[in-house]
Amino acid sequence: LLSLIFTITFSHAQTVQWAWKVVDKSSQYSDKQYSAEQALGIPNVLPAFRESPCAWSPFKKENRLDEYLHLEYKNPMRIKQVAIAESFNPGAVSRVYLYDIQGKEYQVYKNETPHPLPDAGRMNVITFPLTSYMVKQVKIVLNTVGMSGWNHIDAVAISDSDVPVKADINLIKDMKFES
């Protein structure tokens, strides 16, 4: 018997969604600059790392209570990662929760000892096995005690891929700069 074997390769492009709506927040530094709305959409500050009014900042530098940012995504989807653009003074993220379309909560990350990092900022990529449920919302909890200084979240993405989400500047190919 002659057997034919067909190999089909499916190319799965990475789907990345950036938060589009603020569900809730513990506090914010002001109603415009440093507000929770600054964490919506693509990063405003990254790939640079610096203090910026274009990122969410809690009201106090070192609050004794947890600070949090609860965000929603336009199209619920199964995911493998949450990418948190910590654009200034990273290291305060202590917990990350996912919420399905029924509002059920799932904890996917816990850091018992948040502490300041030597870097000015980072894209904090938290990975886990593909969720069996459709993720609609993400809640990021910060423990700012001992962080000395402000903590900024520039943006929060979800993705269905193992490829880490990055904040890159899109440059036009073959662009010529003239002086």
Side-chain angles (χ1 to χ4, degrees):
L1 290 174
L2 180 61
S3 302
L4 293 175
I5 300 174
F6 292 97
T7 303
I8 301 173
T9 304
F10 292 97
S11 172
H12 178 54
Q14 180 180 24
T15 301
V16 176
Q17 282 192 70
W18 299 93
W20 79 287
K21 179 180 172 184
V22 175
V23 176
D24 196 11
K25 77 262 182 207
S26 55
S27 70
Q28 60 188 14
Y29 189 73
S30 76
D31 289 336
K32 203 78 155 147
Q33 297 181 334
Y34 305 101
S35 71
E37 282 74 22
Q38 296 293 341
L40 300 179
I42 62 172
N44 297 307
V45 182
L46 267 64
F49 299 114
R50 66 178 187 279
E51 185 279 331
S52 173
C54 297
W56 170 69
S57 180
F59 184 69
K60 293 182 180 180
K61 286 184 186 180
E62 293 184 48
N63 197 347
R64 297 288 173 212
L65 303 173
D66 285 337
E67 294 283 0
Y68 66 87
L69 189 56
H70 190 153
L71 304 169
E72 187 167 298
Y73 297 82
K74 195 172 254 183
N75 300 307
M77 61 189 261
R78 295 174 66 203
I79 66 170
K80 288 186 173 183
Q81 68 176 289
V82 174
I84 305 164
E86 295 180 79
S87 57
F88 188 67
N89 200 19
V93 175
S94 63
R95 293 184 308 283
V96 176
Y97 299 96
L98 306 179
Y99 296 85
D100 65 18
I101 55 178
Q102 284 81 34
K104 184 176 178 187
E105 180 182 271
Y106 304 84
Q107 185 175 21
V108 293
Y109 177 80
K110 185 172 187 176
N111 180 358
E112 297 282 352
T113 56
H115 60 279
L117 300 177
D119 303 318
R122 69 176 172 172
M123 181 63 82
N124 185 358
V125 177
I126 298 165
T127 60
F128 38 83
L130 184 67
T131 59
S132 59
Y133 50 91
M134 303 291 276
V135 175
K136 184 175 182 174
Q137 300 174 350
V138 172
K139 183 178 179 181
I140 311 297
V141 180
L142 305 182
N143 180 340
T144 61
V145 174
M147 291 302 291
S148 77
W150 300 101
N151 301 100
H152 293 181
I153 303 293
D154 183 16
V156 181
I158 58 174
S159 175
D160 62 353
S161 172
D162 292 321
V163 177
V165 172
K166 295 181 181 175
D168 293 321
I169 297 173
N170 290 328
L171 297 175
I172 298 172
K173 195 174 183 177
D174 301 325
M175 184 172 179
K176 299 198 187 312
F177 293 93
E178 296 180 20
S179 52

